Each structure stands twice: as structure tokens, then as C-alpha cells.
Amino acid sequence: MRRTKEDAEKTRLKIIEAALTLFSRNGYSNTTLGMIGTEAGYSRGPIYWHFKNKDDLYQAVLAYSQEPLEALIDTAASASAAPLQAIETFAGQWLVLLAEDLWFRQSFEILLNKTELTEAIAPTIQREKELTRRIVDTLTRLVAQAQHAGELDATLPSQKLGVLIYTYLMGITQSWLFAPDLFCLQDEQSFFVERLHRLLKAP
């Protein structure tokens, strides 16, 4: 029984990985379950065994590829000291993952560039909005803690600064994914984090 469960999980992950590759390459609308099955080396039978439909698989793909981001948020949320350093670590690790983790990068590629925002994927969009809110709330709490510790100007609204950090990172992400030749993300990671530090510290 244990071997059967392990094999089933391997099949499920192989389908998710194939879907992740095709969604990021072709887009959501232009990828069929048949194409995913071919990429994974299966018929559509195993796909329907694990997922109700393409929308269900799409949600699983994003949840799987965003696990590193979820872990990054958890680490930032549990930071008990040096909140400004925690913010900079969050930003730096975001950029490292974007440059070095293919699945993390593909999750943004799919959402930002390869998905039509239709009613069919409304549950996925709602999930992503909740994830965005969680990121902003985590950053806002860290900003408030940094202000309380005297690391940042306490006269600026912490929520606005939380949004600023998020949009700063998303701007870099979108720009690099759209035009990767514009700059070398691996070489510029420290520059972007240092500029974020200056931006937050500016009077």
C-alpha cells in the first residue's frame, strides 16, 4: 500500500511539473490536458485520477510552484529581531529565487504573462489575491516593528511602506520576466536590495 501511495504521488508531481512547463511556455488557454499528458508521458486517465479538470490542475501547479514563496513569507513572519534586516532578507531571497528557482520563476511567468483573467480561473485569482494580501500584511508588520525599534521613520504609514516594498519587488519581477536582457538579475540582486534599504530609510 505504501508503495502504491508513493507511486501515485510521483505521478501527481510529474503531471504538475509537465503542466508547469507547458503553462509557462504556451499559456493557460493554449495548453490542453492532452498536451500535458503527452509531456508527462501519460494518457489523460491519470490526470483525471488526480485532478477534476484543467482549472483544478492549474491551482495545484501554482500552489506547488509557490511553495518557496510561502516558506519565505513564513520565515519573515516569524522574525523576532532586526525587522529591517528581515525585510532586506525577504527581498534578497525573493530575487535569488526568481533568478535560480525555475518553478518559482515559472509561477510568476504564468500569472503575469501567460494567463487570461477569465471567470474560469476565478478561484485561482482569489487565491493569488489572498497570497498578495498575506505578503503585504507581513511586510507591513515588519515595517511597524522597524519603526518601533527606531530603524525606520515612524511618521510614515507602515501599511503604505508595506505596499511599496511589494510593488518594488513585483516591478523588478515583471520587468525582468518581460525583458530579461534588460539587466542581469544575478548580478544586480545586491544593488536592488541596497536601493530598497535607502528608499525605506529616506526621510
Side-chain angles (χ1 to χ4, degrees):
M1 177 63 71
R2 182 180 178 187
R3 176 62 181 270
T4 301
K5 288 182 178 179
E6 289 177 353
D7 288 346
E9 182 61 16
K10 288 180 181 178
T11 298
R12 179 179 177 275
L13 290 179
K14 194 170 182 180
I15 292 169
I16 288 175
E17 290 169 10
L20 182 58
T21 297
L22 292 180
F23 285 149
S24 64
R25 181 191 304 162
N26 305 325
Y28 173 81
S29 299
N30 294 325
T31 299
T32 66
L33 291 180
M35 293 165 64
I36 293 170
T38 299
E39 179 76 14
Y42 301 121
S43 67
R44 283 189 289 183
I47 297 178
Y48 283 116
W49 176 263
H50 291 281
F51 307 98
K52 293 182 292 186
N53 48 42
K54 189 169 78 166
D55 297 341
D56 187 40
L57 175 54
Y58 182 69
Q59 291 187 55
V61 163
L62 289 179
Y64 179 65
S65 60
Q66 290 175 341
E67 285 179 0
L69 178 57
E70 297 274 6
L72 191 60
I73 299 168
D74 288 341
T75 298
S78 63
S80 58
L84 182 57
Q85 180 61 51
I87 292 171
E88 293 173 11
T89 298
F90 178 90
Q93 286 301 307
W94 173 305
L95 298 178
V96 168
L97 284 169
L98 186 63
E100 300 179 2
D101 189 308
L102 177 61
W103 295 339
F104 181 84
R105 181 164 65 251
Q106 285 176 326
S107 71
F108 282 105
E109 186 93 65
I110 293 168
L111 277 171
L112 296 176
N113 299 328
K114 299 294 180 68
T115 300
E116 298 176 4
L117 303 183
T118 65
E119 186 64 28
I121 60 167
T124 300
I125 298 305
Q126 181 59 37
R127 177 190 178 280
E128 293 305 311
K129 287 182 177 179
E130 291 171 359
L131 181 60
T132 296
R133 171 54 62 186
R134 187 176 167 219
I135 294 171
V136 172
D137 287 348
T138 298
L139 292 171
T140 297
R141 285 194 295 272
L142 287 173
V143 168
Q145 292 168 13
Q147 290 174 324
H148 182 73
E151 294 182 322
L152 293 177
D153 184 354
T155 64
L156 299 175
S158 58
Q159 198 274 339
K160 288 185 178 180
L161 290 179
V163 171
L164 174 67
I165 299 165
Y166 173 75
T167 55
Y168 178 85
L169 292 172
M170 285 298 292
I172 295 170
T173 300
Q174 173 73 315
S175 299
W176 187 66
L177 289 176
F178 182 72
D181 293 336
L182 193 62
F183 56 90
C184 178
L185 184 57
Q186 290 91 335
D187 292 344
E188 302 299 341
Q189 289 165 15
S190 59
F191 169 79
F192 286 128
V193 174
E194 189 270 338
R195 294 310 302 179
L196 175 62
H197 177 92
R198 292 194 184 189
L199 183 63
L200 293 174
K201 294 284 287 187

